[in-house]
Amino acid sequence: MTEYATLAGGCFWCTEAVFKDVIGVESVESGYIGGHVPDPTYKQVCGGDTGHAEAIRVGYDPDQLRYADLLDIFFATHDPTQLNRQGNDVGTQYRSAIFPADEAQETEARAAIERAGETGGKIVTTIEPMTTWYPAEGYHQDYWETSGRSNPYCMAVIPPKLQKLRKSFAARSRAVSV
């Protein structure tokens, strides 16, 4: 039975690429959550006025991947100490946030924030209410596999994230386990 995690860790192209490589992940959808404008567009969200975060909705098999492990990967593959930014991407749409689906996920999110804080730096990741999920436009889905490798931004940001996943979580990486 598939369970879902909704996470915002900066550019959704980058977080999507990481989680597509994780064993136990069945689907990753890029989208928008946490804002006040119905059915926002990428252009609106990038403008920073809708309140939405660029996020991913990860479908995973809890028999293969625990939510806590998924959160540990999330914290290790983005910078949860940067407020409203990831690298050169600046604005609330690039915030680090977790949108728990239920009380159990919220409890796990709080524990994961505590674990992440043990490695140094003040964690600014927020836990926000699950609100309406808006899938991003089609050209944002599977971006790394389709367009990302010809995008200089993606080529600069995604490979180091994948390298960190494959080094720190080798047993969880599809690429390493092949």
Side-chain angles (χ1 to χ4, degrees):
M1 178 139 182
T2 303
E3 292 186 13
Y4 292 90
T6 305
L7 310 168
C11 166
F12 51 32
W13 297 336
C14 301
T15 52
E16 178 192 71
V18 167
F19 281 94
K20 283 196 165 260
D21 189 37
V22 175
I23 294 169
V25 168
E26 298 173 342
S27 64
V28 182
E29 181 179 54
S30 293
Y32 317 111
I33 191 167
H36 58 274
V37 173
D39 202 24
T41 65
Y42 181 65
K43 185 175 180 179
Q44 288 174 311
V45 172
C46 284
D49 298 324
T50 69
H52 291 90
E54 284 193 18
I56 57 170
R57 186 170 182 249
V58 180
Y60 66 98
D61 178 351
D63 291 332
Q64 293 186 55
L65 178 65
R66 294 178 325 127
Y67 184 68
D69 294 330
L70 191 145
L71 292 176
D72 289 344
I73 292 167
F74 169 69
F75 280 109
T77 55
H78 84 292
D79 186 346
T81 67
Q82 291 191 344
L83 183 62
N84 297 328
R85 73 178 301 150
Q86 284 296 298
N88 292 329
D89 292 331
V90 179
T92 58
Q93 66 271 32
Y94 301 113
R95 67 188 178 270
S96 176
I98 301 169
F99 300 85
D102 56 31
E103 202 171 299
Q105 281 193 357
E106 183 171 341
T107 299
E108 286 288 350
R110 292 188 191 290
I113 288 171
E114 192 171 311
R115 285 191 304 276
E118 292 170 0
T119 61
K122 181 180 182 328
I123 304 301
V124 298
T125 304
T126 56
I127 296 175
E128 300 183 26
M130 178 64 75
T131 57
T132 304
W133 172 257
Y134 296 101
E137 296 83 347
Y139 67 94
H140 294 295
Q141 309 304 330
D142 303 313
Y143 193 80
W144 179 239
E145 290 88 5
T146 58
S147 305
R149 289 179 175 90
S150 62
N151 180 321
Y153 166 82
C154 290
M155 288 302 296
V157 176
I158 293 174
K161 287 179 178 283
L162 290 171
Q163 191 173 37
K164 187 163 191 178
L165 168 74
R166 292 168 184 164
K167 180 180 179 189
S168 301
F169 299 92
R172 295 267 178 222
S173 169
R174 294 179 201 273
V176 173
S177 69
V178 173

